[in-house]
Each structure stands twice: as structure tokens, then as C-alpha cells.
Amino acid sequence: MGQTGETNEGSARRRQRRFDPTAHRSELVSIVDAIAAMPELDPGRLDGLLKRFPKDGRGLFSRSEIISGFRHFKAEHWPALDEAGFVARLRLRPIRTQSGVTPVTVLTRPFPCPGECIFCPNDVRMPKSYLADEPGAQRAEDNRFDPYLQTWNRLDAYRSMGHPVDKVELIILGGTWSFHPEVYQVWFVKRCFDALNDYGSGIDGRAEAGLAPARFRELTPIGRGSAGSYNRRIRAQLHPTEQANWPELFASHRTNETARCRSVGLVVETRPDHISDAEVDRIRRLGCTKVQIGLQSLSDEVLERNRRGCDVAASRRALRLLRAAGFKLHVHWMPNLLGSSPEQDAADYSRLFDDPDFRPDELKLYPCSLIESAELMTYYESAQWRPYENDELVELLATCLERTPAYCRLTRVIRDFSSGDIVAGNKIANLREVAEAALAARGARSRDIRAREIRGAPFDADALALTVESYETSIGTEHFLAFVTDADRLVAFLRLSLPRSVRATPELRDSAMIREVHVYGDSLALGRRSDGTAQHLGLGQRLIEHARQISVEAGFGNLAVISAVGTRDYYRRLGFVDGELYQHLRCADRESAVAELERVP
Ligand code: SF4
């Protein structure tokens, strides 16, 4: 389970799709002329400008409509005006793409889930664990859960708001991915890639997509139910026709390797007990690079009471298999489950990082909230479960922030259900900020990745320091290499895994593994040069060279990388050669590898 991580941009997108700039030519040209003449675009002046040139004599043009007008009339009116610069000035909420990659979240259709977790919502209009009025879920429903429509329209919404769309992390959410039939999985991923490929080529294939009727929208919501009734009702609605085969998917992958919109990451979410050697192999073939996996608790007793249907041993096994295959591990963990307490949760959280079997790369921390359709309602009504008081929760989260190590990214500390959906539980929307303030009051601060990312801040490239943090995991030693500023702001990092024993797959024998390379800075176009940003300082390349040196010194003959489909070409240019599921750099060829690196422009 998870959350869509979306905000209400769906309505902006829908407005944008219907917007016709030619009907507003004179106002839009006047607005763009005035913006182009301004040395700085401050919100007050933009507001005054929009009021001077209203839309249809009444409303105000949105920023995305101005961008649309600019693009439409550019050749005629402003052929010399730099599009990227103009759009950047108008861009809404630049933070979304400042990590260098644009996230595109899509939901699978509703489908039975093997879990019966008592805290999980049962909204039959949605994939298990999602609610129909979450903004990202609404968008998926608007697109009939069709992967092509969701991806294409999301790219279009991003572009209309001035965000770059050339490097995309595809995040596939909804229930338990591994429980879907393989033909559906292959079809779903292929259609996401088709949308990326088409959008980058200016092809609009939406008319041929999403023709299946929206069967779930009309279902009456379950008032208070169980996973069993959700599964029964969804199963009765399923008449799957979607399918694609592996060669078709691989063809879409190949197109994406050089497409304008490339997948630089692909994520699915699943349960620990559905991870096996075969499943690890399958998700890798799909092009996945990261797995979101719900552990929820490291106590068998708590898992049992919440009817998770799998134990801590299953979590250990799943993380070991995924880590050995090089996947990035994005764990979900829930405090305030039935049978736990703030003290137990604090100890449980410490175990996440003290025990080498866990130590996730990323973490979503979801305090349990009570949703009416979840079975937890009955435990609440019989006073067997209660939500933590705000003070208890804030103190617990402050402790979690403090105990999160520098190699982990704490991506969320709240599941942002709308407050109307929450019967009992946290309703503080800015819970993270409140917890950070509580931590600051203790004289401490979080050192997790998210707290240290450089984002758009300027930095002195000559003053960057390379740091290496090493820790043990269930399969060997992990090195977290990072370029940081003197104020400890994170500009780039690389995850290098040095396994103790022979890897499961023969392709990885004698291999060290790069699990992630991440360079912060604005998500600039692939191959385009722009001085002064982190993307173009060669930091990724330098980190890879350091990783190779560490691997050589540790006695590895090969450095593998779990590359995304859209980064294969980048690694080829660095001297990596294609294997079956990974790309490889022979560590023994040190001189030629260095020469290769130096030739890369
Ligand atoms: S595994 Fe449990 S929490 Fe996750 S979607 Fe299924 S029922 Fe919900």
C-alpha cells in the first residue's frame, strides 16, 4: 500500500486540455510581452498583470494557460525568446522536479489483494488501500486506470506547467503488484513506455487507449468491510482483456533507450511474501529499478494482530533477495498499529536501522489512521485501538527523524488522506514540519537524505567534498558515496553494494553493484549543457569512477549497474556493456575504462 503523492494538478490538467489559446490571442500576447519585459517576475506584479488582461473579461489566466499561449504564438511573436527560460520563470512549484527527475505516478486497476490487513481501506472504486477522493487516485479514475492515458496526460500536465519531462521516474502503485497476472503486468508496463515514447515524438495515441468501460466507478462503496468483501466484489467485476507479450515490451524498451522522454527509474509496490527468485527476475525484466515494499512492523505479534498475513522472516527474506539483485529498497513502516505503543514503535524504528537485514534506502512512514471502510473500525469501537495523541505522535516522529541515518531518504511521514476520510488519527497536514520543530527543540536535526538535498540552492563546485559512509547489510557491505557542500548539503550520491557471497544470478557472479546514482539539480534536458548546475559537473561520472576504484580494491572483477531502460545509453557511453538484465564494466580493464570516461563529452 502507499499513496499517490499527487496534488490537485488534475484539475489544472483538465483545464489545460480544453484550453484554446487562439480564442485569447490579444490578451495572451499582451501578457507574454509584459512578462518578457520584466526583469523579475514577482507574484504581485503578475497578479496585477493578469487583472489588467482578464480571461473572457472576468477570470484570470492560469500560469499553464500563459505557457500554452506562449508556445502557440512563439514563432509568430517571439521567435528569439528562449522557451526554457520563459517557462522556468512561470513554473509552478519547481521543487517537484528539483531532484533531477520528474515523477510520474500511475495506478493499476482495482484488483484483489492477498492481504487482509485490518487497517487497510476497502474502497471498491480503487486499487486496494487507495481512496477515491485522493487527488492522484481521481486522476487515475478519470483515465480509467489506463496506463497509456495516465502517463501521457501526466506528462502533458507537467509540460504545460513548465516542468521538464525528459527524465521520468515511473511509479506504479496500487495494491500488490506481484498478485496481478503476468500478462497484465507486461501490458501495463508496455503501455507506460508506449506513452513515454509517443509523447516524446509528438504522437497522441489517446484515442485508441482506454476504451475499456469504467466498471468500478459505479460500484457502491463498502460502508465498513474487510479485505474479503473487497476481493469478492472486485473479482466479480474483472473481465480482463489487456495483455501483451515480453517481446512487445522489449521493443518498447528499446525505443525508449533513445526517446525524448526516458524512463530513468521504474517502481512497483508489493508485499514481502510475494518476493521470490522468480518474482525478482520478473520485475527486473519489466525494467524495474526500485521496489516499494510494506514491512509495516518488525514485530511478529503486531503483524499477527493486524492480520498482515506475513511475518518478519518474510520481510528479511524479501529484502535480502531484492538487495542481492541490486534493487533500491523503499520500505513502508507504520506506527500506531493495533497492539503497539509509542515506546514499542520507537524501538521498532531503531531496529529498522540497527539490524543489517533491513536498513532501507528510502522510507515512507505512515502513522495508522482510521478509515471507515477498514476493519480497524471494530477495534476502535470496542476501545481495543486508539490513535496516539498529537503530542505522542509528534514526539515519536521527532525520534524517528533523529534516528534516520544519512544514507536513507525519509520520503513521507504522513499518509495524506483527506481529513474528511479520517475517522480518528492524525489530521495535522504539516506533520513533518511540526516533528522537525520538536526535534529542533531537542537541539537536534535530521540528517536523512531529504533534509540535506541541495535542491535549487547555489553551491561552490570547487568546494565539494567526497564522503563515503559504509555499513553492513544482509548480503555484504554497502558504501554510500556522496558529494557534499561544507554545510553538509547533498549534491550527488551513489549506492555501491559489495556482496559477501556469490549472487543468486550467474550474471552477477564476481560483481560489485551500483544500485543508484543520483545527481541533484534542475531536471535539465538530456545531453543539453548548462553551466553551473549539478547535472553538468560530471559528478555522476566521478562517483562511478570512485565506485569502480573501491570495487577493484575490494577484489571484484566486474562492476554491474541496475540501469533503468532510459539510462542504458548513458552507461554504454561510460564503457559499460549490456548483459541480460544489467550492464557491466570490467574492473580489470582499468586503464581503458578510465580512457573511456575521459572521452565522454
Ligand atoms: S497488503 Fe494489506 S495493506 Fe497492502 S494493499 Fe493489501 S490489504 Fe492493503
Side-chain angles (χ1 to χ4, degrees):
M1 63 173 288
Q3 75 179 32
T4 56
E6 305 294 341
T7 58
N8 220 344
E9 286 164 3
S11 56
R13 172 179 46 79
R14 286 190 287 278
R15 271 203 309 279
Q16 179 62 27
R17 232 189 297 158
R18 287 194 298 272
F19 183 69
D20 176 13
T22 56
H24 308 278
R25 170 189 282 268
S26 78
E27 300 94 318
L28 288 169
V29 169
S30 301
I31 290 170
V32 174
D33 276 342
I35 291 172
M38 287 180 192
E40 295 277 323
L41 182 68
D42 74 77
R45 290 187 70 189
L46 178 62
D47 207 41
L49 182 62
L50 295 178
K51 285 177 183 152
R52 244 190 316 137
F53 298 101
K55 183 178 167 188
D56 298 323
R58 288 171 278 119
L60 302 183
F61 288 101
S62 69
R63 291 180 187 227
S64 59
E65 286 168 343
I66 298 169
I67 292 171
S68 173
F70 170 76
R71 285 180 173 140
H72 196 86
F73 301 119
K74 181 178 185 304
E76 189 184 338
H77 286 273
W78 316 281
L81 196 56
D82 173 51
E83 178 171 333
F86 182 85
V87 169
R89 295 177 76 192
L90 274 171
R91 186 182 302 159
L92 282 166
R93 297 189 302 134
I95 195 169
R96 181 177 290 278
T97 49
Q98 266 170 0
S99 65
V101 173
T102 302
V104 170
T105 303
V106 293
L107 262 65
T108 58
R109 68 177 173 210
F111 196 71
C113 179
E116 295 187 359
C117 315
I118 63 170
F119 49 79
C120 188
N122 288 293
D123 188 335
V124 287
R125 297 164 295 175
M126 285 290 129
K128 190 79 170 85
S129 96
Y130 292 86
L131 294 176
D133 57 1
E134 292 180 83
Q138 284 171 12
R139 184 174 53 77
E141 192 187 39
D142 285 349
N143 287 299
R144 299 173 176 231
F145 302 103
D146 182 273
Y148 185 96
L149 291 180
Q150 290 184 69
T151 307
W152 203 102
N153 284 328
R154 191 70 179 135
L155 292 171
D156 205 40
Y158 271 127
R159 186 169 177 273
S160 76
M161 290 183 287
H163 293 289
V165 292
D166 58 326
K167 288 180 279 180
V168 169
E169 181 177 49
L170 273 170
I171 304 165
I172 302 174
L173 300 181
T176 297
W177 171 260
S178 311
F179 202 53
H180 284 280
E182 183 175 291
V183 286
Y184 177 80
Q185 295 178 1
V186 173
W187 171 82
F188 195 97
V189 174
K190 177 187 183 300
R191 294 301 288 156
C192 290
F193 274 95
D194 288 347
L196 288 175
N197 297 340
D198 282 0
Y199 193 84
S201 304
I203 297 169
D204 183 350
R206 288 177 295 173
E208 292 81 46
L211 297 177
R215 294 180 293 268
F216 307 102
R217 193 190 291 253
E218 291 79 28
L219 294 180
T220 315
I222 298 174
R224 186 180 309 169
S226 68
S229 61
Y230 174 94
N231 287 354
R232 266 196 309 282
R233 294 185 61 186
I234 292 298
R235 202 168 273 124
Q237 300 297 323
L238 290 174
H239 310 288
T241 53
E242 307 93 348
Q243 52 180 298
N245 59 40
W246 287 99
E248 288 169 336
L249 171 62
F250 297 151
S252 295
H253 279 174
R254 278 193 297 279
T255 304
N256 193 252
E257 287 179 8
T258 51
R260 287 213 180 94
C261 300
R262 293 185 205 170
S263 163
V264 299
L266 176 60
V267 188
V268 295
E269 66 173 342
T270 194
R271 282 168 55 92
D273 54 342
H274 279 254
I275 291 296
S276 61
D277 282 326
E279 179 60 4
V280 166
D281 185 77
R282 177 168 31 243
I283 56 180
R284 182 62 199 134
R285 276 175 207 283
L286 290 169
C288 284
T289 51
K290 185 194 297 182
V291 175
Q292 291 199 25
I293 189 156
L295 306 191
Q296 317 311 6
S297 170
L298 302 183
S299 156
D300 277 335
E301 193 189 330
V302 170
L303 293 174
E304 171 82 31
R305 289 195 66 185
N306 288 270
R307 292 227 302 280
R308 276 288 290 165
C310 61
D311 58 11
V312 180
S315 297
R316 290 182 194 278
R317 236 182 352 260
L319 294 191
R320 189 163 53 243
L321 287 175
L322 289 167
R323 197 188 285 280
F327 287 97
K328 288 175 278 294
L329 307 173
H330 193 169
V331 157
H332 300 185
W333 179 82
M334 295 181 73
N336 202 181
L337 289 174
L338 176 69
S340 196
S341 67
E343 297 71 34
Q344 276 176 262
D345 285 336
D348 207 68
Y349 193 83
S350 294
R351 265 199 300 281
L352 259 184
F353 297 102
D354 291 345
D355 189 327
D357 279 0
F358 303 111
R359 300 189 169 165
D361 305 311
E362 297 182 22
L363 187 62
K364 281 182 178 171
L365 204 157
Y366 289 146
C368 184
S369 290
L370 181 62
I371 303 299
E372 170 141 29
S373 63
E375 203 162 341
L376 187 62
M377 272 300 283
T378 54
Y379 296 86
Y380 177 62
E381 286 168 341
S382 60
Q384 294 180 69
W385 178 85
R386 69 159 181 94
Y388 296 160
E389 300 297 335
N390 284 348
D391 288 358
E392 288 176 309
L393 185 58
V394 167
E395 283 306 310
L396 172 62
L397 292 183
T399 300
C400 294
L401 285 171
E402 192 172 11
R403 292 181 186 175
T404 308
Y407 61 77
C408 179
R409 189 173 195 273
L410 197 44
T411 55
R412 295 200 179 266
V413 298
I414 183 175
R415 174 86 193 264
D416 55 1
F417 289 130
S418 79
S419 57
D421 284 324
I422 298 173
V423 180
N426 171 63
K427 294 189 183 179
I428 305 172
N430 64 336
L431 188 58
R432 186 182 194 123
E433 285 171 39
V434 176
E436 278 169 354
L439 184 58
R442 296 180 191 173
R445 68 183 177 95
S446 174
R447 285 205 67 234
D448 88 288
I449 289 176
R450 195 171 179 277
R452 297 188 300 132
E453 289 165 350
I454 188 77
R455 306 208 169 157
F459 60 89
D460 178 0
D462 296 329
L464 292 178
L466 176 72
T467 60
V468 183
E469 181 163 340
S470 305
Y471 54 98
E472 292 303 302
T473 69
S474 52
I475 65 151
T477 305
E478 192 81 16
H479 296 291
F480 183 77
L481 285 66
F483 278 114
V484 295
T485 67
D486 52 8
D488 196 28
R489 301 297 300 273
L490 192 55
V491 179
F493 70 84
L494 180 150
R495 297 183 192 278
L496 174 67
S497 172
L498 302 180
R500 253 190 313 271
S501 51
V502 175
R503 300 243 186 203
T505 142
E507 185 182 344
L508 295 179
R509 186 156 298 134
D510 186 32
S511 284
M513 168 77 80
I514 294 176
R515 296 193 302 117
E516 180 171 18
V517 181
H518 201 114
V519 180
Y520 292 97
D522 209 347
S523 182
L524 299 180
L526 286 163
R528 220 195 292 151
R529 288 221 167 256
S530 171
D531 293 332
T533 63
Q535 292 274 5
H536 297 277
L537 294 171
L539 297 178
Q541 235 169 281
R542 285 161 63 189
L543 285 170
I544 291 168
E545 173 54 15
H546 283 294
R548 201 189 53 73
Q549 283 172 10
I550 291 171
S551 305
V552 170
E553 281 158 21
F556 287 88
N558 187 52
L559 177 60
V561 60
I562 182 163
S563 46
V565 169
T567 59
R568 286 175 185 165
D569 212 41
Y570 170 79
Y571 285 107
R572 283 178 197 133
R573 285 187 286 127
L574 294 184
F576 285 74
V577 294
D578 294 359
E580 194 183 352
L581 297 176
Y582 302 86
Q583 290 179 289
H584 305 269
L585 188 68
R586 288 299 304 162
C587 289
D589 300 332
R590 185 175 189 286
E591 298 312 318
S592 59
V594 170
E596 276 293 327
L597 284 167
E598 283 169 355
R599 273 205 297 279
V600 175

